[in-house]
Amino acid sequence: MIKNKKLITFKIPATSANIGSGFDSVGLALNLYNEIHIYENDNSKKIEFEIFGEGENEISKKDNMIYSAMKLVFKKLKSKPNKGYIIKCINRIPLSRGLGSSSAAIIGGLLCSNFILGNKLKIEKDILNMAVQIEGHPDNVAPAILGGIVSGVVKKEEDFKYIKIKPPKNLKAIVSIPDFYLSTEIARNILPKEITRKDAIFNISRAALLTSALFSNRLDLLEIATEDKIHQDYRAKFIPNLNQLFKETKKAGAYSVTISGAGSSILALAKDDKNIIEKVSKAMHSSFKKKNINSVIKVLNIPTKGIIIN
Ligand code: HSE
């Protein structure tokens, strides 16, 4: 129990990137949050970490992603804190499962330093820019910061151009989180460096359909709009029974089912209907179980707001 004075809390949501066809370009926020609480440090002039929840036994309390991101802000602003702080992390986003845990850590670190140095950076501009640079692609960090479904985060000079899509009503995100890690680096390295024009057109047309279907509430189009030829088939070798899982989840009534980010989790989008949610959850769970893989199913919402500060 920390007795020092609490200064601020950041809640950063989990995210699911790609949604099939929108590789590296589309992502959505999920109402599963990592919390970061900053306290004054009465005993030391240092920044000290306390880590609870996901990764509490794996994440270093000295040299972690949050601290690395914090140091980049100190460097950018050419300034350092003149007091000590305790940074308490309550992690709920599972690590290395394609749910944006690293984006949440990066954003969390940038927010902490920005707060400590007097909020000189604009969150939706400077912090978004820095987070995309660190992460290398925008499809997790953008929805984590902005909330909702974020489409086409394109860099134009020092700015990002994107459209935030309000999540359609009655849409649930059912996430299956298997009990194995998948490194994003490995899941990216397996992808071919070049793709054919045919595959590019396949994805571009579907990604265009995906965003317009979401805008116009044509959820019946999500199945075809999330089809993909440029990443999921290559990644299937890391996710046992993936094709069967896709088939059974759709048969159970999901609008769409895709690998969440680079995996290993799976995202199904489905109507907010008790019966459908139950069937979809069962199908996702039993598909992994057939390969002796345990999984946790979470039924989540797509929050319209991203990071929450209080
Ligand atoms: N768009 C990225 C990928 C998300 O699929 O590799 C993972 O961080």
Side-chain angles (χ1 to χ4, degrees), residues 32-298:
L32 176 72
Y33 298 90
N34 278 1
E35 282 177 28
I36 299 181
H37 305 269
I38 306 185
Y39 293 83
E40 285 181 344
N41 193 344
D42 295 339
N43 305 321
S44 155
K45 286 209 173 253
K46 288 194 182 136
I47 291 179
E48 294 174 327
F49 284 89
E50 295 197 350
I51 298 167
F52 300 95
E54 298 289 341
E56 64 182 8
N57 298 322
E58 294 141 69
I59 299 170
S60 160
K61 291 201 180 83
K62 295 220 151 60
D63 182 20
N64 54 50
M65 283 179 99
I66 296 183
Y67 194 48
S68 300
M70 288 182 75
K71 287 188 281 192
L72 292 175
V73 176
F74 299 153
K75 199 169 159 199
K76 185 179 172 71
L77 297 179
K78 297 188 181 71
S79 177
K80 282 210 168 137
N82 51 15
K83 289 196 280 184
Y85 295 91
I86 298 169
I87 299 190
K88 177 178 166 185
C89 306
I90 302 175
N91 293 343
R92 299 196 184 90
I93 309 172
L95 306 184
S96 295
R97 303 303 215 298
L99 291 169
S101 64
S102 56
S103 294
I106 291 166
I107 294 164
L110 300 176
L111 290 170
C112 285
S113 287
N114 191 38
F115 169 78
I116 288 170
L117 297 183
N119 293 317
K120 296 197 174 69
L121 302 176
K122 289 200 183 81
I123 294 178
E124 294 191 5
K125 188 168 185 274
D126 310 308
I127 299 234
L128 176 62
N129 204 337
M130 286 183 82
V132 174
Q133 257 177 36
I134 301 166
E135 180 88 323
H137 40 86
D139 45 337
N140 287 107
V141 292
I145 291 174
L146 304 162
I149 303 166
V150 184
S151 165
V153 188
V154 176
K155 192 161 189 195
K156 176 85 177 137
E157 282 138 24
E158 277 311 287
D159 245 341
F160 283 99
K161 307 293 174 198
Y162 56 80
I163 294 281
K164 189 173 141 181
I165 306 171
K166 206 169 146 202
K169 273 191 192 137
N170 300 325
L171 188 64
K172 283 280 181 191
I174 304 159
V175 178
S176 161
I177 309 165
D179 67 355
F180 66 90
Y181 297 138
L182 183 50
S183 125
T184 300
E185 197 189 341
I186 292 173
R188 284 181 84 79
N189 285 343
I190 194 77
L191 305 180
K193 296 260 174 302
E194 288 170 8
I195 56 169
T196 61
R197 183 192 300 193
K198 198 168 158 226
D199 285 352
I201 294 169
F202 185 98
N203 267 62
I204 293 166
S205 54
R206 278 156 183 81
L209 187 63
L210 173 63
T211 50
S212 39
L214 289 166
F215 260 118
S216 38
N217 223 2
R218 285 288 309 276
L219 303 180
D220 58 303
L221 294 174
L222 288 185
E223 181 174 355
I224 188 160
T226 53
E227 286 175 344
D228 150 77
K229 288 255 191 240
I230 64 179
H231 67 108
Q232 297 190 130
D233 287 346
Y234 302 101
R235 289 169 165 174
K237 65 185 275 191
F238 299 126
I239 307 177
N241 220 18
L242 184 70
N243 290 330
Q244 200 62 26
L245 189 155
F246 277 6
K247 230 185 245 166
E248 284 167 15
T249 306
K250 282 183 206 159
K251 202 168 141 207
Y255 293 125
S256 67
V257 51
T258 50
I259 299 177
S260 181
S264 56
S265 296
I266 308 293
L267 169 78
L269 294 175
K271 188 174 176 182
D272 185 6
D273 172 292
K274 201 170 160 249
N275 195 26
I276 294 177
I277 291 171
E278 212 167 279
K279 280 192 186 153
V280 166
S281 305
K282 262 193 197 149
M284 293 174 98
H285 192 266
S286 69
S287 297
F288 272 137
K289 200 71 209 164
K290 278 180 198 148
K291 293 284 174 192
N292 284 324
I293 295 167
N294 287 322
S295 57
V296 171
I297 306 287
K298 288 193 187 286

